[in-house]
Each structure stands twice: as C-alpha cells, then as structure tokens.
Amino acid sequence: MWSGWPKRKTWILAAVIAAVAAGAGGAVFMFSGLYNVGADVRHFRITEYIIRLTLHRSVAHHVQRDAPPALEAPGLKELGAKYFEFGCTPCHGSPERDAGPIASSMYPAPPSLHEALLEWTVNEQHWIVQHGLKFTGMPAWAGRDREREVWALVAFLQDIPGMTRNEYEAMLGRQSGADASGTNRVAFCAGCHGDEDTPPVSGLVPSLNGQPSPYLVRSLQDYAADKRQSGMMEPIAARLTPKDADRIARLYSGFEPIAPTADEFSPKVIEVGRNIAESGLPEKGIAPCSACHNSRASPQFPRLAGLSRNYIVEQLLLWAEGQRVQTGYGKIMQRASSGLALDEMNAVAAFYAAQSADSGKPADGKAANRLGDVR
Ligand code: HEC
Ligand code: HEC
Ligand code: HEC
C-alpha cells in the first residue's frame, strides 16, 4: 500500500532541485553578462507586462485609504501648476510642449500624463508623486515627510487629461507663448510668492514682503542644504547662486507687506489669538510669541503679521510633528510652540493673519477683497 509521505518527500526534493537549478541558471546568466541593460533595448512584452503589474499591485497595496482633502481649495491647483511647470515638465512634458529627446530616451520613458493619469486613483497619484517609483527614474518628493504638500500637485493633475495649451497657460497666469522665466528672476518667485501688488498664489505659500533679508537668505540656504524640508522649495533654492539669493531676498525685504484680510475670522477667535501672542499660555509654559516675533527682535526671526492663517498653522503642525527641527532656529521654535493645541494654533494664526505687518492696523477693504479671491 502507498502511504502519503514518500510521495510528498519526492515532491519536495524535486522542488528543491528545480529551485537550485533555476537559481544556478539565473546566477550563470547574471555573471555571463549576456543580459543587455542598455536603455535603448526594450524588454520582452511579457517582462513589460509583469513589471507593470507588479508596479500597479505595489502602489495599490501601499496607498493610504483615507479620503483625499478638498482638492478644490482656492489656489491649490494653481500652486500645483506652478510647481509642475518647474519640476515635472522636464520629464513629462506639459499641455504646452513635449518633454524633449532626452526624457523620451529614458526607459521606461516618462509618459505624457494626458492618458497615464487615468490609470491611477487620486490617492495612488499622491503616493507615486510622494514616493517615486524604483528603477524607473520617477523621483520621490524632495521634502521628506511633507506629504500634505504633495496634494497641490495632485489637485492640478486632475485637470491635465484633456487640458489644452491655452488652459494651461491661463492657469500658469502667463501670456500665450511667453518664455518660461529663469529661476534666478524675481518674476519666477513672484509666480508663487506674489510681490508688492500681488498676493501669493495660495494660502500655503508665505508672502515674503517685508521679511528681514537675513531670515530669507538663511531659509534659502536651509532648503538648499536639505535642512528644511519642502519638495517645492528645496529644488528651487538649490539652483540659486548665493548672489541671486541675496539679491532677491533684499528686494522682497524692501517690499511693503501686503495687506491681509481682516474680516474672515471671528473677533472672538482673534481675541483668543491675541492673548496667546501677547501673553503666552503660562499654564502650558508657552512664552508670548511677540517676545521673538515683533519687528525689533532678531533679523533671524520671521515676522508673522500678515502671513496667511493656512501657512502659519501648517508650519506649527510641522513643529508639532517633530519636523523643521534640523537647525538651531527650528529647535528654538519647536520649544516655543510645544504643547499648543490645534484650536490655539488656529486662533494665534488668525490673529497674525488679520494684522497688517507694520502696525497691527486692520487691513483696508480693497486689499481684503483681492486677497479673498486667492486664499
Ligand atoms: C527625472 C524624470 C522625472 C521627473 C522629474 C518626474 N517624473 Fe514622473 N515619472 C517618470 C518616469 C520615468 C515614470 C515611470 C514610467 C513608467 O514606469 O512607465 C514616471 C511616472 C509618473 C507617474 C505614473 C504614471 C504611469 O502610469 O507610469 C505619475 C503620476 C508621475 N510620474 C507624476 C509626476 C509628477 C507630478 C512629477 C513632478 C512633481 C514628476 N512625475 C516628475 C519620470 C519623472
Ligand atoms: C512653485 C511655487 C514656488 C515658487 C516658484 C517659489 N516658491 Fe518659495 N515657497 C513656496 C512654498 C510652498 C513655500 C513654503 C514651504 C514650506 O512649507 O517650508 C515657500 C517658502 C519660501 C521661503 C521661506 C519663507 C518663510 O517665511 O519661511 C523662501 C525664503 C522662499 N520660498 C523663497 C523663494 C524664492 C527666492 C523663489 C524664487 C527663486 C521662490 N521661493 C520660488 C513656493 C514657491
Ligand atoms: C524664543 C523665541 C520664539 C518664540 C517665543 C516664538 N517663536 Fe516662532 N520662531 C522663532 C524662530 C527662531 C523661528 C525661525 C525658525 C526657523 O528658521 O526654522 C520662528 C518661526 C516661526 C514661524 C514660521 C514663520 C515662517 O515664515 O516660516 C511661525 C509660524 C512661528 N514662529 C509662530 C510662533 C508662534 C505662534 C509663537 C507663539 C506661540 C511663536 N512662534 C513663539 C522663535 C520664536
């Protein structure tokens, strides 16, 4: 009579021999150098299929399941478009122009996103832009752990399928056919940060007007040296020469602070914020913000009056999450804000956002309307 065990043992033995043979065959193939790694020779169809399937399965497995944030927030996709033009078009092209011969000679070539995006859900797009794709040349987001920052790009990506050249140029806010501005030009920075007359493109971008120029220069150095994380500003700052950084910082420093909105926040919230800013929260050991953030303090301390509420809250959240602490100044600020609750962050941010930067006067109505459009 046959019993089960010798049969099973035979199978196991056969499987082990097959695995060893396959491994040995693979090793011989690998060491022989016969495989052509040149990017100008395509994989077999079946290999391409397997790679693509692996890629899709991996992204679907790792992606976060939470519902995405509101992608229609004012200014969000415009901010995404501005960064896209700088950071993504060299490889993916844009509705305005093809990527060019170098990118299209990569293998796999970065696809034109007109169609490629339709394959991926919104969360998957976010995952790909944040983490990049191994072995393809698709880079990870340069700002480590700045996953919220990536949503601006994803907001813009939603509009790409079907977008015309004119629509793209309108979103970038430039004349048809206009040349892309060099990164050393103030006009390039102003596209996101605004200038004397224009507010920033989104509440997530700080206005630089009237900031002490030593603070601006150091911030640019911190981004370029990977000591302050932002996937948008690190690559931009890394391209500036010290001379250009200095020149642009001085220029912005001399600009009149742009008048912020006064009417968006309830007076009660602003009053809570004012108390924190001027008296701190002694029971939590939090010092008054004004001790360091009024205009007579160190030129290394940014002024807060006139920054948008969204930007201030986002930065406070970063400190609460243990980010922006790679410099001594960042660590000072982390200690100063440690223990602030979310509603306290919101209140103090509303207080500063409602102040005009020089005097604490409420903003005039005209400017308030202008800002109201873009926040
Ligand atoms: C250095 C070149 C390069 C840059 C810069 C780049 N990508 Fe990619 N991207 C690629 C390559 C290569 C792939 C993978 C193509 C493949 O696997 O078929 C890819 C894939 C993608 C995909 C998945 C599409 C698909 O179906 O393969 C998305 C979405 C994407 N990139 C978005 C972006 C965005 C947004 C930016 C700017 C923040 C960006 N990429 C910057 C090279 C680049
Ligand atoms: C694509 C949009 C974009 C462009 C273009 C851009 N920035 Fe920025 N910038 C941002 C965002 C977003 C932040 C906030 C990043 C963060 O959270 O750390 C920022 C932050 C900064 C800061 C820090 C300010 C502060 O209050 O801490 C400086 C300085 C700065 N940018 C300078 C520049 C200069 C100079 C240029 C032009 C060479 C430029 N930026 C171009 C989006 C942009
Ligand atoms: C002991 C001094 C000190 C106190 C007190 C202080 N800060 Fe700061 N703050 C700093 C320094 C220094 C920086 C610059 C950090 C850097 O360069 O990364 C900063 C930066 C910031 C920024 C970033 C601004 C920008 O443009 O990126 C915000 C927002 C901020 N502080 C809010 C507050 C609030 C709100 C309080 C009160 C609860 C407060 N700070 C109290 C020293 C202080």
Side-chain angles (χ1 to χ4, degrees):
M1 247 338 225
W2 275 92
S3 66
W5 69 266
K7 205 172 164 192
R8 204 166 126 222
K9 212 168 156 188
T10 315
W11 274 112
I12 292 175
L13 193 67
V16 169
I17 291 173
V20 170
V28 168
F29 182 62
M30 190 183 87
F31 280 103
S32 72
L34 284 174
Y35 179 70
N36 187 345
V37 296
D40 53 351
V41 180
R42 293 184 73 93
H43 289 300
F44 293 124
R45 274 272 177 74
I46 176 77
T47 319
E48 268 184 0
Y49 176 80
I50 292 171
I51 292 175
R52 199 71 195 163
L53 187 66
T54 312
L55 202 139
H56 263 272
R57 289 301 310 139
S58 171
V59 174
H61 175 78
H62 286 94
V63 79
Q64 69 171 50
R65 314 271 164 220
D66 308 342
L71 299 181
E72 296 301 322
L76 193 63
K77 63 173 67 160
E78 286 77 6
L79 170 59
K82 304 266 185 185
Y83 184 77
F84 185 89
E85 171 66 12
F86 169 81
C88 316
T89 54
C91 286
H92 288 285
S94 73
E96 198 176 41
R97 73 187 105 89
D98 292 338
I102 296 184
S104 50
S105 304
M106 287 170 73
Y107 185 64
S112 145
L113 295 176
H114 270 287
E115 285 121 47
L117 286 172
L118 303 172
E119 276 181 37
W120 305 98
T121 66
V122 168
N123 280 356
E124 287 175 339
Q125 293 174 22
H126 180 273
W127 193 91
I128 292 172
V129 179
Q130 188 191 351
H131 298 283
L133 297 169
K134 271 197 190 76
F135 293 121
T136 70
M138 169 65 196
W141 191 242
R144 262 191 319 286
D145 299 325
R146 291 297 309 267
E147 61 178 87
R148 284 189 294 276
E149 202 179 35
V150 173
W151 285 114
L153 264 297
V154 179
F156 168 65
L157 293 183
Q158 303 321 297
D159 282 11
I160 289 194
M163 184 177 248
T164 66
R165 183 194 171 115
N166 283 347
E167 287 164 346
Y168 182 65
E169 286 176 342
M171 190 165 280
L172 289 179
R174 68 168 185 243
Q175 303 294 312
S176 183
D179 206 11
S181 339
T183 43
N184 61 339
R185 299 214 358 234
V186 181
F188 170 72
C189 317
C192 286
H193 288 284
D195 53 25
E196 277 177 305
D197 312 310
T198 331
V201 64
S202 138
L204 294 171
V205 185
S207 168
L208 307 176
N209 296 8
Q211 284 294 17
S213 71
Y215 171 74
L216 295 179
V217 169
R218 178 175 60 81
S219 302
L220 289 167
Q221 289 164 347
D222 290 348
Y223 287 128
D226 197 24
K227 288 197 218 153
R228 181 172 166 189
Q229 299 301 316
S230 164
M232 292 197 185
M233 274 315 296
E234 285 182 59
I236 291 173
R239 286 223 197 155
L240 283 178
T241 63
K243 215 170 131 216
D244 285 329
D246 201 56
R247 177 177 58 85
I248 299 175
R250 276 168 199 277
L251 192 75
Y252 267 109
S253 191
F255 284 168
E256 279 296 307
I258 199 129
T261 41
D263 51 357
E264 200 187 324
F265 315 108
S266 87
K268 237 172 81 192
V269 170
I270 292 182
E271 212 33 52
V272 173
R274 178 195 303 281
N275 267 328
I276 300 174
E278 290 173 359
S279 317
L281 291 164
E283 67 282 9
K284 290 191 178 179
I286 291 176
C289 316
S290 61
C292 297
H293 287 290
N294 70 39
S295 52
R296 282 177 301 282
S298 156
Q300 287 296 347
F301 297 179
R303 76 162 100 227
L304 302 181
L307 291 179
S308 78
R309 178 187 51 177
N310 282 354
Y311 176 74
I312 295 178
V313 170
E314 179 63 26
Q315 300 301 310
L316 292 172
L317 283 175
L318 292 180
W319 276 299
E321 292 163 356
Q323 301 187 59
R324 203 172 161 179
V325 291
Q326 287 165 282
T327 63
Y329 290 109
K331 291 197 179 92
I332 294 177
M333 182 49 213
Q334 188 192 33
R335 272 196 300 278
S337 60
S338 144
L340 270 186
L342 185 60
D343 57 338
E344 290 159 352
M345 292 179 188
N346 268 311
V348 76
F351 166 71
Y352 278 115
Q355 265 201 321
S356 103
D358 43 2
S359 63
K361 290 195 304 273
D364 68 296
K366 183 168 140 257
N369 285 341
R370 206 168 53 200
L371 261 157
D373 295 337
V374 294
R375 287 172 64 97

